[in-house]
Amino acid sequence: MHLRPVGATALLVEVAGPAQALALATWARAARVEAVEVVPAAESVLFDGVPDVEALGALLRGWTPTSETPVGELVEVPVTYDGADLAFVADAWGTDVAGLVARHTGLEFVSAFCGFAPGFAYLDGLPAELAVPRLDSPRPRVPAGSVGLAGRWCGTYPTASPGGWRLLGRTDAPLWDPSRDRPALLAPGTRVRFVAA
Amino acid sequence: MSLHVLATGPLVTVQDRGRLGLAHLGVPRAGALDVPAAELANRLVGNAADAAVLEVLLGGLSLRADAGCWVAVTGAPVPLDIAGSARAHARAHARAEWLATGETLTLGTPTSGLRSYVAVSGGVDVPPVLGSRSTDTLAWVGPPRVESGTVLPVGRPRGAPRPLDTPRAPRRGALRVTAGPRADWFDDDALDRLCATPYVVSADSDRIGLRLDGPALPRRRTDEPVSEGMVLGAVQVPPSGVPVVFLADHPPTGGYPVLALVDEADLWQCAQLRPGEDLRFTRRRGSPAATP
């Protein structure tokens, strides 16, 4: 764990990976640290809007680094597996489409952090041997609800946007709805399973 | 009561102090870019500091009140016109003015600066989205942009207008910077180089970031950091080496290293700098950020 001050009111904490970042962010929220924003990312947690950076630093030093994933709520996401890159990914996994669906629905993911767009969750849990490269050039428009893979991440597009992820299919699940108390369905810490629709 | 929008310029949005606490869900903070101007407008009409105002880019807004109300226009100075059935005359910038029932307020083109703020007594009372009435232009969280035909509900006035306000003028000048969290990814003299020569505001600047043309800032490390949380005022340096200052609608996470941080008290100037204008940075004197 390495602490980098970000001006007088924020602190960037570098950690070993997404699981550790999520563990630290969850711990910090439970400890009600004084910060307006607690933003986990792939290898860091940003604490912003911090009235006393030194006190926060001292508190965080008391945290024992762990990659143990906190047990969050389990959400099932129904997927219609008809994505444009289904054949490519099946080939990369050395299987056919039915085999791909069986493997993808057999995994349990955890939302490590959100970024890129509101409610766009980076889902951790793809074994290293199933990692797939991004598209060489992103598609100008990926439809809302698309479910895709990039590297070791699985992700779902809450809104239509450009995107370079390998698309497996799409979901009707309400990934982002600002009228709800919990606008992001897959907020950090949420466990996720995909089911064939 | 309501304000009926008859015309707009390039962009009019509703803004308050922003949508805080949701960066971890990928939601930008949004909020007025020129905070002192928005606060002054609210004070002039007797509103609380968190009342929603209209942020008007390059003038062109025209609106009609269906009941009398106090209005104030601040920020980029614009010719103001209040027109009714019987009278039509220019009104003052940065002063509370009475807009009578049926009268129309029209903002001309700013003589300098970019963004003007219109406050109305009672505040713009569109339904809040996730706790704020601000429109974020990165992901379009919040109320829709204001267009010709938009009807804006107005809240009940809470305080008396203050027709005269003599605020301490915000300090104008070079943007004060301190070292950012990834300053060590750059050459040792990168911060000095940032402050040594003026940069020119680029035409693709917006509420997300002030994009600059000028000397590139060479990096010591050529790999990209993995995406990490970003703060308001971060001076991010993409591979081109030419910096971007992150403003209110900045993405909550970003993948380019942050060389410097602009003092929050100076950020209002980024709201008013026009493309082609010069911008200077200067190292902030005084105590460096404490190392925890």
Side-chain angles (χ1 to χ4, degrees):
Chain A
M1 188 168 64
H2 178 65
L3 278 54
R4 284 177 183 262
V6 184
T9 57
L11 190 61
L12 183 70
V13 183
E14 291 177 289
V15 293
Q20 219 176 80
L22 177 61
L24 173 59
T26 307
W27 178 85
R29 279 191 191 278
R32 297 185 179 278
V33 298
E34 280 196 82
V36 175
E37 308 278 3
V38 179
V39 190
E43 294 178 8
S44 64
V45 181
L46 173 72
F47 296 86
D48 193 10
V50 178
D52 186 341
V53 169
E54 269 186 70
L56 178 65
L59 183 70
L60 295 179
R61 284 206 182 78
W63 177 69
T64 310
T66 170
S67 295
E68 211 158 291
T69 308
V71 179
E73 188 196 347
L74 178 68
V75 170
E76 289 199 340
V77 176
V79 180
T80 303
Y81 285 90
D82 61 357
D85 302 310
L86 210 52
F88 173 90
V89 176
D91 195 44
W93 287 6
T95 182
D96 56 11
V97 169
L100 176 153
V101 173
R103 294 198 79 167
H104 191 243
T105 54
L107 296 166
E108 183 172 304
F109 295 90
V110 61
S111 169
F113 57 93
C114 287
F116 176 64
F120 188 107
Y122 285 74
L123 305 176
D124 190 13
L126 199 66
E129 67 272 17
L130 298 187
V132 290
R134 271 169 200 270
L135 293 177
D136 287 336
S137 58
R139 293 185 173 94
R141 189 174 184 279
V142 172
S146 294
V147 177
L149 303 177
R152 286 187 59 179
W153 297 105
C154 180
T156 51
Y157 287 77
T159 47
S161 68
W165 294 44
R166 303 280 179 177
L167 304 181
L168 303 183
R170 60 200 157 79
T171 179
D172 294 332
L175 299 167
W176 174 249
D177 180 357
S179 69
R180 285 189 321 212
D181 275 356
R182 297 176 52 193
L185 182 69
L186 309 181
T190 309
R191 292 179 301 137
V192 182
R193 275 186 176 277
F194 294 96
V195 293
Chain B
M1 69 155 291
S2 306
L3 296 172
H4 298 252
V5 177
L6 307 176
T8 66
L11 180 66
V12 177
T13 54
V14 179
Q15 299 293 342
D16 56 16
R17 291 198 290 197
R19 194 171 281 108
L20 299 179
L22 298 173
H24 65 291
L25 301 182
V27 179
R29 66 164 57 207
L33 281 202
D34 185 341
V35 174
E39 288 183 345
L40 172 61
N42 270 329
R43 278 202 309 277
L44 287 167
V45 297
N47 286 346
D50 60 351
V53 300
L54 298 177
E55 183 177 279
V56 182
L57 177 67
L58 282 170
L61 174 70
S62 184
L63 45 78
R64 190 181 67 237
D66 65 10
C69 58
W70 289 97
V71 292
V73 182
T74 62
V78 283
L80 282 184
D81 210 68
I82 292 182
S85 51
R87 58 192 186 124
H89 43 197
R91 295 303 181 98
H93 187 79
R95 214 176 74 182
E97 297 281 357
W98 179 252
L99 190 61
T101 305
E103 285 189 328
T104 299
L105 169 71
T106 301
L107 280 65
T109 303
T111 48
S112 65
L114 283 182
R115 293 178 174 89
S116 307
Y117 292 84
V118 180
V120 53
S121 49
V124 177
D125 195 27
V126 294
V129 176
L130 297 172
S132 164
R133 295 183 171 87
S134 292
T135 297
D136 139 60
T137 62
L138 179 70
W140 295 98
V141 176
R145 61 189 283 175
V146 175
E147 314 221 52
S148 173
T150 301
V151 177
L152 297 164
V154 173
R156 184 180 297 274
R158 296 245 168 86
R162 295 172 54 178
L164 290 174
D165 189 305
T166 51
R168 193 174 50 188
R171 169 192 175 279
R172 188 182 281 277
L175 302 186
R176 291 167 292 183
V177 292
T178 50
R182 299 281 172 191
D184 56 341
W185 282 46
F186 296 83
D187 290 351
D188 283 338
D189 62 349
L191 206 51
D192 290 329
R193 290 172 73 149
L194 178 73
C195 299
T197 39
Y199 283 80
V200 178
V201 176
S202 162
D204 54 358
S205 297
D206 53 21
R207 284 184 45 87
I208 298 163
L210 193 74
R211 292 172 180 83
L212 303 171
D213 291 325
L217 300 158
R219 283 197 218 161
R220 178 181 292 152
R221 288 177 62 165
T222 52
D223 53 326
E224 302 296 339
V226 292
S227 193
E228 63 194 18
M230 290 282 142
V231 299
L232 184 66
V235 180
Q236 205 193 44
V237 183
S240 66
V242 183
V244 180
V245 181
F246 269 2
L247 303 180
D249 293 351
H250 73 84
T253 55
Y256 301 130
V258 174
L259 166 66
L261 302 164
V262 176
D263 194 320
E264 203 169 329
D266 290 347
L267 280 176
W268 69 272
Q269 297 185 66
C270 299
Q272 302 298 0
L273 284 161
R274 291 184 164 189
E277 287 188 323
D278 278 359
L279 165 67
R280 273 186 177 277
F281 295 95
T282 183
R283 294 204 55 168
R284 190 194 166 125
R285 303 280 168 241
S287 59
T291 305

